[in-house]
Amino acid sequence: AVLQAANRATDLVRQILTFSRSESPQRAALRLRRVVSEAVNMMRSTLPAIIEIKSECEAATPMVLADATQVHQVLMNLGINAAQAIGSRAGCVRVRVGRCDVAAEIPGANPAVPAGAYACIEVTDDGCGMSRATLSRIFEPFFTTKPVGQGTGLGLAVVHGIVKQHQGGIAVESELGKGTT
């Protein structure tokens, strides 16, 4: 119990620090395959064994200019949220990295994302999904659907902040009872 509380506290402090920092990420040319592989391996050791984790990295994925640590944190936050949406039943989290061609503005994305070719990371779960009301608030700091003491509401706010700092965009699809991407 002490170890679990310490891990939760460590995660909370890390998320608060990431959320509150206004510094620019330390970017370098990066192949996402390596970062995704590391994050998926960490998810496998962290998430319950009843949750299957599948990953796919397309060869045509373009290199990105990104902070590997922050991309890793995005993947971990999304993976943990996906596992929590699945709950105690058997389920699957899928992580896909590939190329996507943006022809027009992505609904809900950072408006600064112009049309063009991008690397795309998708994290999909077959969990409980979200209502439209919940979906409209997921990136708000301190918004959580978890009971008191079980969530900080910072995970997706941190994800949003990191993606925005990298001039990226986020599109979310969710349906109650069917899961979220």
Side-chain angles (χ1 to χ4, degrees):
V2 170
L3 183 58
Q4 185 178 15
N7 288 337
R8 254 191 252 140
T10 300
D11 186 49
L12 175 60
V13 169
R14 185 179 327 114
Q15 288 185 18
I16 289 171
L17 289 172
T18 300
F19 182 74
S20 64
R21 286 185 193 129
S22 58
E23 63 192 47
S24 297
Q26 300 299 312
R27 296 183 191 165
L30 179 69
R31 291 206 182 276
L32 290 173
R33 177 183 300 268
R34 181 182 58 81
V35 177
V36 169
S37 177
E38 289 172 6
V40 166
N41 286 338
M42 183 173 267
M43 280 183 220
R44 283 194 175 107
S45 65
T46 306
L47 302 182
I50 197 165
I51 296 177
E52 182 181 9
I53 303 170
K54 295 182 180 180
S55 65
E56 174 188 345
C57 291
E58 296 176 5
T61 305
M63 288 187 72
V64 296
L65 191 60
D67 182 316
T69 301
Q70 289 189 338
V71 172
H72 189 273
Q73 184 170 7
V74 164
L75 288 163
M76 290 304 298
N77 281 358
L78 293 176
I80 290 167
N81 275 14
Q84 289 172 341
I86 293 169
S88 59
R89 66 174 179 77
C92 184
V93 174
R94 290 176 186 81
V95 179
R96 187 187 83 71
V97 179
R99 175 190 167 112
C100 65
D101 293 302
V102 176
E105 182 179 320
I106 300 171
N110 182 350
V113 177
Y118 293 89
C120 178
I121 300 172
E122 289 182 7
V123 178
T124 302
D125 67 67
D126 57 4
C128 59
M130 292 179 275
S131 68
R132 290 195 188 276
T134 299
L135 195 56
S136 70
R137 300 189 62 199
I138 61 172
F139 298 121
E140 290 178 19
F142 305 109
F143 174 75
T144 183
T145 58
K146 297 175 189 87
V148 174
Q150 291 188 13
T152 61
L154 287 175
L156 291 177
V158 167
V159 166
H160 186 264
I162 290 171
V163 171
K164 189 174 178 181
Q165 281 182 332
H166 282 80
Q167 286 84 45
I170 302 176
V172 183
E173 296 175 9
S174 187
E175 188 175 337
L176 283 172
K178 294 196 176 178
T180 302
T181 298

